[in-house]
Amino acid sequence: LLTPDEYSRLMAASLPQSELVIVPGASHLALLDKPETINDGLIRLIERAQPGKLKWRYRRFGDRLRGWFRRRG
C-alpha cells in the first residue's frame, strides 16, 4: 500500500525535525528507480541523528555511495 501525499504531508508535519521526501517519477520501488534521491534523503537523516565525528564518517560514506551509483550508470 502507498500512503497518499496528503497523509504523508500530515504525518511529516506532526513529527519534529522530520523531512518528507517525495520522489517524482518513481514507482513503488523508489529505491530501484531513483537510488540517488533516496540515498541523499537517508544521508540527511543520518546527519541529523549522528553527532560530530560520526557525521563526518557517514558523509564520506555517502560520497562513496553516490560515486558507486554514478559509475554503475
Side-chain angles (χ1 to χ4, degrees), residues 14-26:
S14 71
L15 298 168
Q17 298 181 351
S18 68
E19 175 187 359
L20 175 62
V21 178
I22 295 179
V23 185

Side-chain angles (χ1 to χ4, degrees), residues 24-55:
S27 69
H28 65 283
L29 295 174
L31 283 170
L32 298 176
D33 290 344
K34 307 283 183 168
E36 283 193 27
T37 304
I38 300 298
N39 289 335
D40 288 344
L42 290 172
I43 289 166
R44 288 191 305 273
L45 173 65
I46 291 167
E47 287 175 346
R48 286 195 310 272
Q50 299 295 321
K53 189 185 267 188
L54 286 177
K55 184 175 179 178

Side-chain angles (χ1 to χ4, degrees), residues 1-2 7 10 13-14 20 28 35 41-42 49 51-53 55-56 58-59 64-67 69 71:
L1 294 173
L2 296 176
Y7 295 119
L10 288 171
S14 71
L20 175 62
H28 65 283
L42 290 172
K53 189 185 267 188
K55 184 175 179 178
W56 179 79
Y58 281 106
R59 181 173 291 160
R64 288 193 315 246
L65 188 62
R66 280 189 286 276
F69 276 107
R71 285 190 302 275

